[in-house]
Amino acid sequence: MEVSQKWRTFLGMFCGYVVYTLCRRTFTYSQPSLMEDLGLAKSDLGIISSAWSAAYGISKFGYGVTSDAFSPCWCYALGLAMSGLACISFSLVSNLALLATIWFVNGMFQGLGWPAIAVLVTNWCQSTELASWWSALSAAGNIGLALSPFLITFLVSSLGWRVTFFAIGCACVCVSLVLPFVIHDEPAQPVSGDRKTKKPKASAGKILELLQNKVVVLLSVCYFLVSLSKEGWSTWGLLYLMEQKGQTSTMSGSVMFVFEAGGICGSMATGVLSDLLLKWNKSSEKAIDRLPLCTLLGVWTMSAFGMLHFLATGHHLTLLYVCAFSIGFSTYGIICLLGVMACEVVPRHMAGASNAIISLVGQTGGFSSGYPIGWVMSRYTWTGAAYVWILAAGAIPGLLSIAYMSFKMTRRPRAQHED
C-alpha cells in the first residue's frame, strides 16, 4: 500500500508540474497575437513578463523558507488552481495594467509549485534515491516547456489567444481538484536513511551568514546571469526568430521546442556526468569538482548565442536547431549544477535556505529579461538584446573561476560547520 501511495504521489506531482509549466508559458507563445489584437508594444509585453517574474521570485523564496509550516500537498494544489483562475481572468481583459496585475497574481501562485515538490520529495525519498526522483520531476517541467511551443501556438493560431488562455486555465483548475486525492504529504512510516526527518529552520541570522559566504554570492550572481540569458531567450525567442531570422510562427515554435528538448537533455546529462566525475576523482570536495564542468557549460552558452546571432540565418534552419539545442542544454545544465553546488557549499541544515537565496537572485535575472530587454530592443533593436545574452553568458566562466579560487582558499571541513 505504501509503495502504491508513493507512486501515486509522484505521478500526481509529475503530471501537475507539466500543467504548471504549460500555464506559465501560455503568455510567452501568445505574444504575437497579443501585439496584433491589442496593439501592445514589445515594452508592454516586457512589463507583463517582468511582473510575473518578480511575483514568482518573491513567492518561491517566501514559501521556500517557510514551507515546513504548510501542507505541501494543499499548497501544490492551491497554486495550480489559482494559476488557472488567473489564466481565465487574463482571457477576459484587454487593459495593460489589468493584464500585468493578473499575470503578477499568476506568478505569485506559480511560486508554490516547486518548493512544494521539494518538500514532498524529501518526505517520501531516502537519501540514496533523492537525486534520481529530483531529476525526474525536474524533467516534468522541461517536458511541459517542450510541449508548450507546439500546443500553445497551435491553439492560438486555431482558436485565438483568449480561448487558449481560458482553456489552459480550465485545465489547471481541473487537475488541481484531483491532486489532493492523489498526493500525500508524507508516508505513514518515516523513510529510513541518514537524512534527518525534521530539518532546523533557517533563521534570519543564518540567512545573513549565507549572504556573507563569498561562494554563495558568486553562485547567486552566476544564477542571475544564466537566468537573464535563458529566460530572455524563452521570453523573446519566438519573436526574435520571426522578426530577426524571418521564420514563420510554426517554424519558430519548432526551434523553441528543440531549445526545451535540449534543456531536458542538459538537466539529466549534467547531473549524471558530474556524479560520474566525482566518483572518478574520489574526492570529498563535491562542489569544487563540479565547477569545471559548469564553467565549460558557460563557455558553450556564450558560443551558442554568438553562433545564433552572427552565423545562423533564416536559410540555415539546421544551424538554428543546433544553436537552440545548445542554448537549452547548456543553460539548463548550469542551473542544475548551481542548485546542487549551493546546497553542497554550506552545512546541511542551511542547504534549503542557500538554494532559496540563489533561486531568488536567479529570478531577478528572469525579471530583468522582461521589460529591461524590451527596452534594450526598442533602443538598439534585436542586436542589442543578442549582445546582452552573449555578454551575460560570457561573464559566467570568469565568475565561476573566481568561485573556484575562493572555495579553495576558504573551504573548511564540513563537519566543523554542522550542529
Side-chain angles (χ1 to χ4, degrees):
M1 177 65 72
E2 190 112 316
V3 174
S4 63
Q5 270 190 357
K6 179 177 180 178
W7 279 98
R8 284 200 304 270
T9 295
F10 279 98
L11 181 62
M13 286 191 288
F14 190 94
C15 295
Y17 206 62
V18 171
V19 180
Y20 257 103
T21 51
L22 283 173
C23 176
R24 73 180 61 164
R25 285 300 181 209
T26 305
F27 170 75
T28 299
Y29 296 108
S30 300
Q31 287 181 346
S33 293
L34 288 167
M35 292 176 67
E36 181 180 353
D37 188 35
L38 301 180
L40 298 177
K42 292 186 182 72
S43 58
D44 297 329
L45 298 177
I47 291 172
I48 298 172
S49 177
S50 293
W52 185 92
S53 297
Y56 181 75
I58 294 169
S59 175
K60 189 176 181 181
F61 177 77
Y63 180 56
V65 297
T66 60
S67 54
D68 287 339
F70 306 98
S71 164
C73 169
W74 284 103
C75 285
Y76 192 60
L78 175 66
L80 187 57
M82 296 305 295
S83 296
L85 291 176
C87 253
I88 294 172
S89 301
F90 194 95
S91 70
L92 303 176
V93 301
S94 302
N95 179 269
L96 175 61
L98 288 176
L99 291 171
T101 300
I102 291 171
W103 213 235
F104 179 89
V105 173
N106 180 281
M108 289 295 293
F109 286 101
Q110 281 276 325
L112 300 183
W114 187 256
I117 284 180
V119 175
L120 287 164
V121 173
T122 304
N123 289 346
W124 278 94
C125 290
Q126 298 182 21
S127 299
T128 54
E129 59 181 356
L130 186 61
S132 299
W133 284 108
W134 190 286
S135 298
L137 290 167
S138 297
N142 293 125
I143 290 171
L145 294 174
L147 290 174
S148 56
F150 286 120
L151 177 61
I152 296 172
T153 53
F154 171 76
L155 290 174
V156 170
S157 61
S158 302
L159 305 173
W161 69 270
R162 293 188 187 274
V163 176
T164 300
F165 272 89
F166 190 87
I168 296 294
C170 289
C172 291
V173 173
C174 291
V175 172
S176 71
L177 296 176
V178 178
L179 292 179
F181 300 98
V182 178
I183 298 176
H184 299 268
D185 283 343
E186 56 187 1
Q189 297 295 326
V191 295
S192 60
D194 58 1
R195 178 176 41 80
K196 295 179 181 180
T197 303
K198 292 197 76 175
K199 305 181 289 289
K201 296 182 180 179
S203 66
K206 291 177 181 176
I207 293 176
L208 181 61
E209 180 182 342
L210 288 174
L211 295 176
Q212 295 172 341
N213 185 313
K214 293 181 181 179
V215 178
V216 172
V217 171
L218 288 169
L219 293 178
S220 298
V221 176
C222 289
Y223 210 126
F224 171 87
L225 294 170
V226 72
S227 295
L228 177 63
S229 298
K230 182 187 81 70
E231 292 301 326
W233 176 251
S234 297
T235 302
W236 300 105
L238 190 74
L239 283 175
Y240 175 85
L241 292 166
M242 293 172 64
E243 297 184 0
Q244 185 73 8
K245 302 300 180 181
Q247 299 297 315
T248 64
S249 175
T250 302
M251 293 307 299
S252 298
S254 69
V255 175
M256 296 305 292
F257 169 80
V258 172
F259 162 72
E260 298 297 351
I264 296 174
C265 297
S267 296
M268 301 296 290
T270 52
V272 173
L273 181 57
S274 66
D275 284 342
L276 289 175
L277 290 174
L278 292 184
K279 292 179 182 179
W280 180 66
N281 288 335
K282 296 181 180 179
S283 169
S284 61
E285 304 287 354
K286 296 180 180 179
I288 200 169
D289 287 332
R290 299 186 201 273
L291 279 169
L293 177 58
C294 200
T295 303
L296 180 62
L297 289 172
V299 175
W300 189 4
T301 304
M302 179 185 63
S303 302
F305 272 116
M307 287 177 59
L308 176 71
H309 185 67
F310 294 109
L311 300 181
T313 64
H315 302 292
H316 296 117
L317 189 59
T318 301
L319 186 55
L320 288 177
Y321 284 135
V322 170
C323 292
F325 183 89
S326 297
I327 292 170
F329 188 101
S330 56
T331 54
Y332 278 97
I334 292 171
I335 288 172
C336 175
L337 292 180
L338 289 177
V340 173
M341 290 189 291
C343 295
E344 291 177 335
V345 298
V346 298
R348 289 189 182 92
H349 67 275
M350 299 174 71
S354 177
N355 201 273
I357 287 173
I358 72 161
S359 295
L360 177 64
V361 176
Q363 199 57 42
T364 307
F367 172 84
S368 301
S369 70
Y371 178 75
I373 295 293
W375 180 85
V376 170
M377 284 187 294
S378 66
R379 290 293 187 93
Y380 305 104
T381 70
W382 285 111
T383 299
Y387 274 111
V388 171
W389 299 332
I390 294 169
L391 293 174
I396 294 172
L399 289 171
L400 289 176
S401 299
I402 296 174
Y404 182 89
M405 293 184 289
S406 178
F407 192 89
K408 274 286 191 182
M409 291 186 293
T410 62
R411 179 65 175 168
R412 296 176 182 176
R414 190 183 184 102
Q416 292 181 8
H417 295 279
E418 295 180 354
D419 292 338

